[in-house]
Amino acid sequence: MTDDVGTSASISIGDRTLDLEVLSASLGSDALDISKLRASLNTVTYDPGFANTASTRSSITYIDGGEGTLRHRGYAIDDLAEKCTFLEVAYLLLYGELPNREQLDEWTTSVRHHTLLSEEMKRFFDAFPRSAHPMAILSSATNAISTFYEAYYDPKSSDAFHESAVRLIAKMPTIAAWAYKKSISQPYMYPRNDLTYIENFLHMMFGMPVEETKVDPVIARALNVLLILHADHGQNCSTATVRFVGSSDANLFASVAAGMNALWGPLHGGANQAVVEMLSAIHDDPTMTVERAVTRAKDGDDPFRLMGFGHRVYKNYDPRARILKKFADDVLSRVGLDDPLLEIANQLEMAAREDDYFVSRNLYPNVDFYSGIIFRALGFPTRMFTVLFAMGRLPGWIANWKEMHDDPATRIARPRQVYEGTVMRDYVPITER
Ligand code: SDX
């Protein structure tokens, strides 16, 4: 709770005043409740990027942008990444508590028994060109599988929510892997019930029907950490999208598909792909050095940005990037890969951290800066990186959708606007235009 807002506030416009209730946060900024502002003073607030606006109350994730800390349901991301499985963290996000042994076994078994896609879905994948971006397939397939589960559309039913959540979390690795197999014209691999969630995904991604799949436990462990680090992150662009779409009582599948499309943007989840493309350009193009990249990033007239740097909330080192940076060396040495892009990334970070342009704007590496290098070391093609981000973020989207439905105040989101258009004019027939 911040003590600089105090317990009372008011807005005065001319001779009219509205007293505002102050909502006290358990951590971070308190909030001024302006829900009566338009009715009382016929005025709205203007905050185009919502940087100063809380769209909801939430108990799921807390981010301290100044300190660079991240907690899910009160647990530090460092502890969760080091000590939990991804499904354990997914359960924590959805239901608010870390599961006990019985709950985790039931949850894991339930997910394991719903990893198959309906056979009709094969023709769905076949309809895409080989060149289709896997994010387009992922969001389309997420909507498509919902047609098999109309019984679970009711947003007011907790049973329907649970069944939808299990199917989304269970089937996302299968959809992602089949999108990849489609792109390389290889046979789709069926999930196996004798493998863990992460092992199963790696089996479907890199296995072949002609031989037994051998999953490297180090790669499985690395991917487990990567998915946990992406699991939730407050009211980011894609999560706010899921809440917005869900607030119309659209079903969970449709809301998540919308979030996937928001995540795809290179300023958001698409940044990990853009980071590796930027590092590769520096590596491959002799005219594009680290120094040149930093210079271009600082030039306001040049659209080039240092992808993987900066954040809407973190004005300190993204704690996820800090974990990933330590992790990158371990994973690359374990898989025996000496990736020159990691060295370029380290040089870029050092150059930016010593440059006043970045220091004065609090621009630090974010989660996407190192994640792409590790995804690449684990054998994933660049175009699959945002798909991996979406797989990680899925429980966060689902948890936020549920929290939105549990709070009647956040139903049918409908922001206002500041209209600046023409006031009024008469119709002009086309013969006179
Ligand atoms: C994610 O919201 C979330 O939580 C997102 C996420 C999650 O887990 O869901 O954390 C995941 O989306 C991480 C961000 C990935 N995107 C990128 O790495 C793309 C590159 N980053 C930038 O586009 C930018 O930093 C943003 C969009 C991420 C954040 O922008 P901000 O904090 O709103 O900062 P800004 O755009 O207002 O910029 C402030 C200044 C500007 O310069 P001035 O106008 O002051 O001269 O910093 C500059 C910007 O031009 N700036 C950069 C820069 N990022 C900001 N300059 C060069 N390179 C950059 N990367």
Side-chain angles (χ1 to χ4, degrees):
M1 172 178 171
T2 50
D3 52 16
D4 57 356
V5 173
T7 54
S8 66
S10 62
I11 288 182
S12 292
I13 300 175
D15 57 359
R16 295 173 300 160
T17 297
L18 172 68
D19 292 334
L20 301 176
E21 184 191 350
V22 176
L23 302 183
S24 179
S26 52
L27 277 173
S29 306
D30 291 337
L32 303 179
D33 181 344
I34 57 166
S35 50
K36 298 183 180 62
L37 179 62
R38 196 172 63 85
S40 306
L41 302 182
N42 190 30
T43 301
V44 296
T45 57
Y46 176 63
D47 186 20
F50 303 113
N52 302 284
T53 298
S55 60
T56 184
R57 300 167 187 241
S58 183
S59 313
I60 300 171
T61 288
Y62 175 68
I63 303 168
D64 186 323
E67 292 297 316
T69 57
L70 169 60
R71 297 181 200 153
H72 295 317
R73 304 284 191 186
Y75 294 97
I77 190 62
D78 313 68
D79 284 343
L80 297 175
E82 185 191 335
K83 298 167 183 162
C84 290
T85 66
F86 173 65
L87 286 184
E88 208 172 347
V89 173
Y91 185 100
L92 169 68
L93 290 169
L94 265 63
Y95 299 110
E97 299 294 336
L98 282 172
N100 60 32
R101 169 51 57 194
E102 184 190 345
Q103 290 165 330
L104 182 58
D105 290 348
E106 184 184 346
W107 170 246
T108 304
T109 303
S110 188
V111 167
R112 175 175 290 141
H113 289 153
H114 288 94
T115 52
L116 276 171
L117 298 177
S118 305
E119 276 302 291
E120 295 91 330
M121 283 296 290
K122 275 189 173 175
R123 292 199 297 278
F124 177 87
F125 283 85
D126 291 346
F128 286 90
R130 272 192 56 197
S131 60
H133 195 292
M135 280 302 285
I137 300 178
L138 200 79
S139 58
S140 311
T142 299
N143 258 323
I145 63 170
S146 79
T147 59
F148 297 93
Y149 306 111
E150 291 202 18
Y152 304 140
Y153 277 5
D154 180 3
K156 297 177 181 60
S157 157
S158 55
D159 290 343
F161 164 77
H162 179 77
E163 294 301 332
S164 298
V166 165
R167 281 165 179 74
L168 278 163
I169 291 172
K171 298 178 190 299
M172 211 49 64
T174 313
I175 292 172
W178 284 22
Y180 172 61
K181 286 296 193 185
K182 158 75 191 183
S183 73
I184 55 174
S185 297
Q186 280 190 5
Y188 301 127
M189 293 296 288
Y190 283 93
R192 282 173 32 189
N193 285 352
D194 61 323
L195 298 176
T196 67
Y197 185 80
I198 302 285
E199 290 169 345
N200 218 352
F201 174 54
L202 292 168
H203 154 69
M204 291 187 282
M205 273 291 299
F206 302 116
M208 290 290 277
V210 293
E211 59 189 16
E212 187 65 23
T213 308
K214 292 182 187 61
V215 176
D216 182 332
V218 172
I219 290 184
R221 166 112 189 83
L223 189 55
N224 182 69
V225 171
L226 279 156
L227 292 185
I228 289 172
L229 292 178
H230 288 83
D232 191 54
H233 211 246
Q235 301 313 307
N236 57 83
C237 178
S238 55
T239 299
T241 301
V242 170
R243 281 178 172 258
F244 219 102
V245 171
S247 75
S248 72
D249 273 1
N251 67 73
L252 180 58
F253 297 87
S255 306
V256 162
M260 288 172 174
N261 290 309
L263 186 75
W264 193 2
L267 291 187
H268 186 18
N272 50 24
Q273 175 178 338
V275 167
V276 169
E277 287 164 353
M278 172 185 73
L279 297 174
S280 300
I282 294 171
H283 178 261
D284 301 339
D285 175 357
T287 66
M288 187 58 170
T289 61
V290 166
E291 294 70 26
R292 174 112 180 83
V294 171
T295 303
R296 286 191 58 190
K298 291 159 58 176
D299 179 356
D301 297 327
D302 187 331
F304 178 81
R305 280 281 172 279
L306 218 46
M307 300 313 279
F309 260 76
H311 198 273
R312 294 293 281 167
V313 177
Y314 289 122
K315 301 310 172 188
N316 199 325
Y317 215 104
D318 182 334
R320 303 165 296 174
R322 196 187 311 117
I323 295 170
L324 288 174
K325 181 177 180 174
K326 270 194 309 207
F327 212 53
D329 284 323
D330 300 348
V331 170
L332 266 67
S333 58
R334 171 63 192 224
V335 299
L337 185 66
D338 179 19
D339 189 347
L341 300 194
L342 179 60
E343 180 47 33
I344 293 171
N346 286 327
Q347 288 172 17
L348 260 184
E349 179 184 347
M350 275 192 300
R353 300 287 298 281
E354 288 158 12
D355 187 299
D356 181 60
Y357 172 92
F358 294 90
V359 173
S360 63
R361 291 169 175 80
N362 296 310
L363 301 176
Y364 292 84
N366 58 51
V367 66
D368 293 298
F369 191 62
Y370 287 104
S371 60
I373 293 168
I374 300 174
F375 285 145
R376 185 176 135 106
L378 298 181
F380 293 98
T382 309
R383 279 156 56 100
M384 284 294 288
F385 292 178
T386 310
V387 168
L388 295 167
F389 193 144
M391 281 175 56
R393 186 52 50 88
L394 182 58
W397 288 331
I398 296 172
N400 274 274
W401 187 92
K402 178 171 185 291
E403 187 176 67
M404 179 272 297
H405 276 289
D406 290 345
D407 177 359
T410 55
R411 307 307 306 285
I412 188 67
R414 200 226 176 277
R416 298 292 167 157
Q417 63 180 13
V418 178
Y419 178 70
E420 297 178 328
T422 305
V423 174
M424 184 76 160
R425 50 184 165 171
D426 297 330
Y427 175 78
V428 178
I430 193 162
T431 51
E432 297 171 24
R433 290 178 207 159

